[in-house]
Amino acid sequence: MEILDKKSNRMSRANSGVSERSEFPDLQRILDFLSLRNLLSNELFLIISKVRWYMFTGLVEEKGSVISLNNGDKSIKLKIKANKVLENVKLGDSIATNGVCLTVTEFSKDYFIADCMFETISRSNLKRLKAGDEVNLEKSITLSTPLGGHLVTGDVDCEGEIVSITQEGIAKIYEIKISRKYMRYIVEKGRVTIDGASLTVISLTDDTFSVSLIPHTQEKIVLGSKKVGDIVNIETDLVGKYIERFVYFDKLEKKENKKSKISREFLLENGF
């Protein structure tokens, strides 16, 4: 780990131009974190291959359709018609369905069944589905999977509402409103996952952001057929959340370790 730390520090200083004794220690720590993250990219995928930690890329493999949806005790059982994602599938595998990581509990050659618990139902649009609705599908990645999108966990943050759709040349611009709680993780030219599809943010306001779809993408993902007022699943970039948490606890630790400047000597010098 010491070797990695040294490499990380050298990389961050070389890439950012920040000196070893930076005036901005929080910035330096963030840069070190990002450099170490890049350095460990190969190790990350080795971990993915060895443990049951499912990840996705946000590249939709196919559009499936809902065969049935049965409500249970604060749960939903979904039966989804599919094809490509069922190749070499096994019980317990994960398939992102509209961006939600679902575990395959039963399958046949042209469908799979998955259970949705209350946490999933409350955060996602799966509860709004009905028989015949199309859904985006992506099987979890392996070491041989092309990473054309970005690392997606399949853990949806919240729902978003489409507030406008504008034609701009060959493209359609979708403006989506989400809770301000999650807008802090949305950045211009950053990545966001909408119904499981990895897309680029082209603009944003205090509570909305916009993405642009070319005709090919409009055909390949469910967002292309949605209308104003429709609800979509949103997963923001994981890295921003880790940085925020890292900085928060770093500041908290400094606050807890900060010693009072009032000492016995100070009191004596000031006549107490």
Side-chain angles (χ1 to χ4, degrees):
M1 189 65 193
E2 183 180 355
I3 294 173
L4 291 176
D5 287 341
K6 289 179 180 177
K7 287 183 179 179
S8 173
N9 288 332
R10 286 201 299 271
M11 287 173 64
S12 63
R13 288 197 296 273
N15 293 335
S16 66
V18 181
S19 65
E20 186 169 357
R21 296 179 179 277
S22 173
E23 297 180 54
F24 308 100
D26 288 338
L27 175 61
Q28 183 63 56
R29 290 186 180 93
I30 292 171
L31 291 171
D32 288 345
F33 173 83
L34 291 174
S35 295
L36 185 59
R37 173 177 173 265
N38 292 332
L39 188 66
L40 293 177
S41 59
N42 290 332
E43 285 79 359
L44 172 64
F45 288 103
L46 286 174
I47 291 172
I48 292 173
S49 69
K50 292 178 180 178
V51 301
R52 296 179 69 82
W53 177 22
Y54 292 109
M55 301 288 286
F56 308 90
T57 68
L59 293 181
V60 175
E61 294 182 69
E62 65 174 319
K63 289 192 289 186
S65 60
V66 178
I67 297 174
S68 63
L69 185 151
N70 296 315
N71 293 307
D73 182 17
K74 293 185 178 181
S75 65
I76 293 173
K77 186 180 290 290
L78 278 173
K79 186 175 183 180
I80 305 292
K81 184 178 181 180
N83 182 22
K84 189 174 181 180
V85 296
L86 296 177
E87 295 175 3
N88 301 315
V89 73
K90 302 183 298 296
L91 285 179
D93 281 354
S94 283
I95 296 176
T97 305
N98 269 6
V100 179
C101 178
L102 297 180
T103 301
V104 175
T105 59
E106 185 180 335
F107 68 92
S108 182
K109 63 179 181 179
D110 60 356
Y111 73 83
F112 71 92
I113 293 175
D115 291 315
C116 307
M117 59 186 177
F118 181 74
E119 168 69 9
T120 304
I121 297 168
S122 62
R123 286 184 183 254
S124 74
N125 64 9
L126 297 186
K127 59 182 171 288
R128 304 173 189 275
L129 294 175
K130 58 185 183 299
D133 284 351
E134 289 188 321
V135 290
N136 290 330
L137 299 176
E138 181 192 357
K139 196 174 179 182
S140 56
I141 63 175
T142 68
L143 287 177
S144 63
T145 305
L147 297 178
H150 71 287
L151 287 179
V152 175
T153 65
D155 298 320
V156 169
D157 289 310
C158 64
E159 293 180 309
E161 180 184 357
I162 301 173
V163 293
S164 72
I165 302 174
T166 307
Q167 190 76 39
E168 189 175 80
I170 64 169
K172 279 186 178 180
I173 311 298
Y174 292 78
E175 185 181 13
I176 297 171
K177 183 176 182 179
I178 65 172
S179 166
R180 287 195 177 191
K181 175 182 177 181
Y182 297 104
M183 278 301 298
R184 60 159 65 95
Y185 308 120
I186 305 290
V187 296
E188 189 173 344
K189 298 305 178 184
R191 307 295 286 186
V192 65
T193 309
I194 302 177
D195 280 339
S198 174
L199 298 168
T200 301
V201 176
I202 62 170
S203 63
L204 64 159
T205 67
D206 288 342
D207 59 358
T208 69
F209 67 90
S210 296
V211 297
S212 179
L213 302 188
I214 61 172
H216 174 78
T217 308
Q218 294 171 32
E219 294 177 2
K220 294 297 182 180
I221 66 175
V222 297
L223 182 59
S225 60
K226 293 203 171 184
K227 308 179 297 297
V228 171
D230 284 349
I231 303 298
V232 294
N233 290 332
I234 302 295
E235 181 187 332
T236 57
D237 193 1
L238 186 64
V239 177
K241 300 172 192 173
Y242 274 119
I243 292 175
E244 180 184 60
R245 198 70 171 163
F246 176 81
V247 172
Y248 169 77
F249 275 103
D250 189 55
K251 289 181 178 179
L252 186 64
E253 188 178 55
K254 286 179 182 178
K255 185 176 180 181
E256 291 175 347
N257 292 336
K258 187 176 181 180
K259 295 181 179 179
S260 173
K261 294 182 179 179
I262 300 177
S263 62
R264 181 174 181 275
E265 290 74 17
F266 175 84
L267 293 174
L268 289 173
E269 289 175 3
N270 288 275
F272 289 96

